[in-house]
Amino acid sequence: MTTTLAGGRAARRQTMRRIRPRRSPATVLLLAVFAGAVGVLWLWWMNTPSIADQNGKILNAGRITGLLAGYLMALVVLQMARVPALERRVGSDRVARWHAMSGRYTLCLVFAHVFLIMWGYALQAGKSLGDIVQQTIDSINQLPDMGKAAIGTGLFVLIGLTSIGPVRRRLPYDAWYHVHLLTYGAVFLTFWHQITTGNDFAVEPTAKTFWYALYGSVTALVIWYRILTPIRLNMRHHMRVEAVIEEAPGIVSVLIGGRKLHRMGAQAGQFFRWRFLAPGMRFSSHPYSLSAAPRPDMLRITVKAIGDHSARLRELTPGTRVWAEGPYGAMTAQRRSRGKVLLVAGGVGITPMRALFETLPGAAGDITLLYRANTTQDLALWDELAAIADDRGARLMYAVNSPDGERPDISAERLRQKLPDIDKHDVFMCGPAGFAQSVYEALRGAGVPARRIHHESFEM
Amino acid sequence: MHALRKNSPLRRIVLASAATVSGMVLLLSLKPHSTPETALAVPAPSSSSGAGTSGGSSGGSSASGTRTVTGDTIQTRWGPVQVRITLKGGRLTEVTAVQYPTDNPRDQEINSFALPRLRSEALQAQSANIDTVSGATYTSDGYRQSLQSALDSAGG
């Protein structure tokens, strides 16, 4: 770089004026969730004058777990409602991880609730813990809406079982996904017994209203963002496959045409969930990042043929209808807080990086892309990247295995050697989990603060 | 917290379970073991009259000193509760629940275990100073108040 100091500064100022970092609302949202949980506990506290004995403790523990489970269940569904604030500002991957964690926790609460309440009822009826099964059957027969609740809980057991790590890995994605959709049914079925048998809702009309409002607004958001918004988007933009191009061994680009595609509001670094209306592909949608900044008449995704679905992409014929949902993802220019940016791509993780490399504002020398692949043949989109680098004076580096298969050295020292001011950079990263983990550690070792390492991962 | 920071899922599970269980144990142990209303000696029929309470009535007394008194009807959150007491020579010999919540099967289940216990506690204590039966908090409350009003009108 030969820019003068003054010129560099002026350019940097210019760039910084175009950078408006937006903080993720994650912390505020988590605080709101905790406040809601405290409110639910307060409801229990106000409606429970006293607890007489051991049996009362068991029953009340059952009530607390039930109330918390009912509250969290609504939020677990909300996390998957594709609300833009969550998908685009917190980040789809992070929300999905929250969903997985809170879903497991909520299911544990549900099972604890059933066990504690039935144990308590059995003790009340003068029976022992051993009669809990009979007690459960009696309660299902006698209490209002308990039959529905039992079916719903059965569905939760099924959903929980199919989501346990080893089971899920053995199941085809589609099977797991369709079982997971039963969650809506299970939540609906278990809702009614909360209202009709829940102490707190029977005696507190306000609490009942609040509960209806909570579940009602989650339902509305799900219908709006998961059903109506995608329908509107696809009616308006009419997307079709234009062409399929082989970029590198096993890596294809799909060009998608449509109407007024720039009006979808997609940014570089974001992705859509794509469904191709071709035989064998129409029943599942998959998230693929845009590999170029969106154009009014054209979008492009670049995909590595690893799964069933992605392997079939290369057989797509031009004209195939495309159903897309999005844009989603928070790894956009808004995450940036510094003038200098390092983009790190591992393999096909180049796709969002390629789009950002082209569009991130920056003066010559501000943007650096480090591209890791097995061999130079695997460096998909290389020619384009080189052209962009030339055009805007950005730096482009690659790291491939040596001819004898040895992995390149991406360590803190090596990164600092290549980019002496690496600790002044924002880093955007996309690649396989193991790669991302090791680069993350190297970056932290080189002095990049965690809050400036932006990464999205879809492996859980 | 950064997604790529190493943290073991096991640690998270242990932490979440420990926090939940200890939070719950804390909440449960903070609750008093009997209702504050237990100390309420006089239920003050005037304050709870009107919508909630119908006046207690003294029944007939026989020569042998056996008296029957019906207590106030106490409106609880689940429905009305009212008891009738029998006194023989100043001793409480019988408590009968005249009204109690029966709206759903769960009420009936509760009554079947709670009412006998409340009765035997009352006979043992010879007063309305009886413990709440767990799982039947409101019924116990109503029972206690109706019993107290019956005792009051029998004494007065």
Side-chain angles (χ1 to χ4, degrees):
Chain A
M1 278 206 319
T2 51
T3 39
T4 64
L5 192 61
R9 268 195 194 145
R12 178 93 1 101
R13 261 203 303 278
Q14 193 95 33
T15 310
M16 287 311 289
R17 224 173 287 146
R18 292 162 69 186
I19 298 170
R20 294 213 168 74
R22 293 181 77 185
R23 290 181 68 87
S24 153
T27 318
V28 178
L29 289 174
L30 286 176
L31 285 177
V33 168
F34 274 108
V38 171
V40 166
L41 291 175
W42 180 78
L43 178 69
W44 168 82
W45 182 265
M46 296 313 284
N47 286 317
T48 308
S50 69
I51 299 170
D53 51 16
Q54 200 57 35
N55 186 9
K57 282 189 179 156
I58 293 169
L59 275 175
N60 276 291
R63 282 177 57 203
I64 295 174
T65 46
L67 279 168
L68 284 178
Y71 167 68
L72 288 176
M73 193 60 79
L75 300 183
V76 169
V77 175
L78 177 65
Q79 287 162 347
M80 282 294 111
R82 310 257 191 266
V83 181
L86 294 176
E87 298 286 327
R88 296 178 201 163
R89 300 220 21 223
V90 177
S92 308
D93 61 330
R94 195 164 176 204
V95 174
R97 279 195 301 273
W98 286 357
H99 171 80
M101 267 191 292
S102 53
R104 288 183 178 112
Y105 183 70
T106 307
L107 281 194
C108 291
L109 285 177
V110 167
F111 301 141
H113 162 71
V114 172
F115 175 75
L116 288 165
I117 290 282
M118 289 307 144
W119 184 16
Y121 281 9
L123 289 182
Q124 270 188 350
K127 292 182 266 180
S128 64
L129 184 57
D131 299 310
I132 193 166
V133 175
Q134 187 55 43
Q135 181 62 42
T136 309
I137 295 167
D138 290 348
S139 298
I140 292 171
N141 288 331
Q142 289 168 2
L143 297 178
D145 295 317
M146 280 295 288
K148 282 186 236 169
I151 298 171
T153 309
L155 291 178
F156 279 136
V157 172
L158 180 68
I159 294 157
L161 285 177
T162 52
S163 296
I164 295 172
V167 183
R168 182 175 172 186
R169 276 191 289 277
R170 265 181 219 129
L171 275 178
Y173 172 83
D174 287 356
W176 170 84
Y177 176 77
H178 289 114
V179 169
H180 227 69
L181 281 184
L182 293 174
T183 308
Y184 294 116
V187 172
F188 177 81
L189 288 169
T190 49
F191 173 74
W192 303 104
H193 90 287
Q194 303 175 29
I195 295 291
T196 50
T197 64
N199 256 6
D200 304 279
F201 303 116
V203 300
E204 287 275 1
T206 331
K208 199 169 164 173
T209 312
F210 174 78
W211 221 244
Y212 273 120
L214 176 69
Y215 275 79
S217 38
V218 169
T219 311
L221 286 170
V222 168
I223 292 174
W224 184 259
Y225 286 117
R226 287 206 73 141
I227 301 174
L228 299 180
T229 304
I231 289 177
R232 203 168 123 240
L233 182 92
N234 287 283
M235 302 252 287
R236 210 167 49 181
H237 298 293
H238 269 280
M239 284 169 272
R240 284 178 192 282
V241 172
E242 292 269 325
V244 179
I245 299 163
E246 180 110 16
E247 299 283 0
I251 296 180
V252 292
S253 282
V254 182
L255 302 184
I256 294 149
R259 297 196 300 226
K260 297 181 188 163
L261 297 177
H262 58 298
R263 300 274 296 272
M264 295 202 291
Q267 297 174 43
Q270 288 187 313
F271 67 94
F272 286 79
R273 292 175 194 277
W274 302 96
R275 191 189 296 265
F276 296 94
L277 305 188
M281 297 179 82
R282 58 181 79 233
F283 295 112
S284 55
S285 68
H286 292 259
Y288 298 124
S289 296
L290 297 178
S291 62
R295 276 180 13 199
D297 60 332
M298 185 83 76
L299 298 175
R300 187 181 72 174
I301 57 174
T302 303
V303 179
K304 185 176 183 183
I306 18 176
D308 262 5
H309 185 269
S310 39
R312 259 188 237 131
L313 283 176
R314 66 175 71 221
E315 284 136 37
L316 281 175
T317 48
T320 306
R321 280 294 310 265
V322 180
W323 183 270
E325 293 169 30
Y328 302 131
M331 204 173 52
T332 64
Q334 285 176 349
R335 273 287 151 90
R336 176 181 181 190
S337 60
R338 292 288 162 133
K340 293 198 153 202
V341 177
L342 168 65
L343 306 169
V344 183
V348 77
I350 189 63
T351 50
M353 295 300 128
R354 148 76 180 76
L356 287 167
F357 192 52
E358 183 183 7
T359 56
L360 277 180
D366 280 353
I367 314 284
T368 309
L369 173 63
L370 170 61
Y371 190 176
R372 162 84 172 98
N374 285 334
T375 68
T376 44
Q377 276 103 55
D378 294 319
L379 292 167
L381 308 175
W382 182 260
D383 296 342
E384 285 176 31
L385 293 167
I388 294 167
D390 265 357
D391 201 43
R392 61 181 306 185
R395 267 176 295 195
L396 178 58
M397 301 186 281
Y398 70 88
V400 294
N401 294 350
S402 65
D404 54 2
E406 205 181 319
R407 295 164 153 274
D409 163 39
I410 301 180
S411 60
E413 295 71 43
R414 192 103 175 94
L415 285 171
R416 247 197 311 256
Q417 194 186 339
K418 286 279 176 194
L419 277 180
D421 58 348
I422 189 164
D423 55 335
K424 305 276 192 301
H425 281 64
D426 264 295
V427 181
F428 289 73
M429 179 161 56
C430 188
F435 169 78
Q437 186 70 53
S438 66
V439 174
Y440 174 78
E441 273 148 30
L443 287 166
R444 297 286 289 121
V448 183
R451 66 172 183 283
R452 273 197 257 128
I453 302 176
H454 315 293
H455 167 252
E456 260 180 5
S457 145
F458 291 91
E459 296 162 67
M460 275 193 288
Chain B
M1 196 182 71
H2 203 282
L4 286 174
R5 210 177 70 185
K6 271 202 173 141
N7 51 7
S8 93
L10 190 67
R11 203 175 116 218
R12 213 160 49 198
I13 292 166
V14 170
L15 271 176
S17 321
T20 310
V21 171
S22 53
M24 215 143 65
V25 168
L26 184 73
L27 276 175
L28 291 172
S29 55
L30 280 176
K31 274 284 169 195
H33 290 295
S34 53
T35 37
E37 285 93 321
T38 312
L40 199 73
V42 184
S46 59
S47 71
S48 51
S49 69
T53 315
S54 69
S57 61
S58 289
S61 60
S62 74
S64 64
T66 306
R67 291 179 63 205
T68 317
V69 182
T70 308
D72 291 344
T73 304
I74 306 297
Q75 289 298 339
T76 71
R77 282 168 164 180
W78 299 107
V81 176
Q82 188 180 29
V83 301
R84 182 183 298 138
I85 60 170
T86 308
L87 293 153
K88 201 181 263 175
R91 265 188 76 76
L92 187 62
T93 56
E94 185 56 280
V95 186
T96 321
V98 187
Q99 285 192 67
Y100 43 85
T102 50
D103 279 355
N104 66 53
R106 176 82 197 127
D107 286 334
Q108 289 158 20
E109 226 174 280
I110 288 171
N111 296 328
S112 68
F113 73 85
L115 294 176
R117 265 175 69 178
L118 290 165
R119 174 183 166 273
S120 65
E121 276 184 44
L123 294 179
Q124 211 160 34
Q126 287 293 310
S127 74
N129 194 10
I130 52 178
D131 283 341
T132 299
V133 175
S134 67
T137 313
Y138 295 104
T139 305
S140 304
D141 253 15
Y143 196 95
R144 201 160 28 228
Q145 289 184 40
S146 186
L147 177 60
Q148 185 67 53
S149 74
L151 288 170
D152 286 348
S153 43

